[in-house]
Amino acid sequence: NMPNVISGLISKSDGSPAMGAILTVYDVNGIPVRALKTNKLGQFLSVTSLSSGQYRIEVESQDAEFNPVSINLTGQVMAPLEIGEKGDRASS
């Protein structure tokens, strides 16, 4: 595992994977530096390392809403992120 590589799992409130969700990684100036997409298991991986520093990850999905996630990269190997759906939505 390389340092400063972002990976993880995105899941919906019912525990199912958020497939095909788009993650945009923004640097401290609000500039998008990576765009990632989850696979059918809800997993994502940035292939290349990012520079050390603060980042914000925003997740877009057609059928779920997610809060932005802030991360701080320090040149260490990152544990996989687990991003769950925002709040509990009433069942329709």
Side-chain angles (χ1 to χ4, degrees), residues 3-91:
N4 287 6
V5 167
I6 305 168
S7 67
L9 175 68
I10 301 187
S11 56
K12 298 192 277 195
S13 55
D14 63 2
S16 65
M19 174 178 152
I22 305 292
L23 293 85
T24 308
V25 182
Y26 296 90
D27 70 10
V28 73
N29 300 310
I31 297 167
V33 292
R34 290 284 187 287
L36 309 170
K37 190 173 184 178
T38 58
N39 64 15
K40 65 183 181 202
L41 301 175
Q43 299 164 327
F44 64 91
L45 172 65
S46 91
V47 180
T48 52
S49 300
L50 290 157
S51 304
S52 292
Q54 291 274 356
Y55 294 90
R56 188 178 86 249
I57 303 173
E58 294 190 359
V59 182
E60 284 182 59
S61 171
Q62 291 183 332
D63 50 4
E65 284 190 30
F66 298 89
N67 288 320
V69 176
S70 294
I71 57 168
N72 184 26
L73 299 179
T74 59
Q76 305 295 313
V77 173
M78 282 277 294
L81 299 165
E82 289 193 26
I83 302 175
E85 189 172 351
K86 162 175 149 181
D88 285 323
R89 294 187 306 174
S91 54

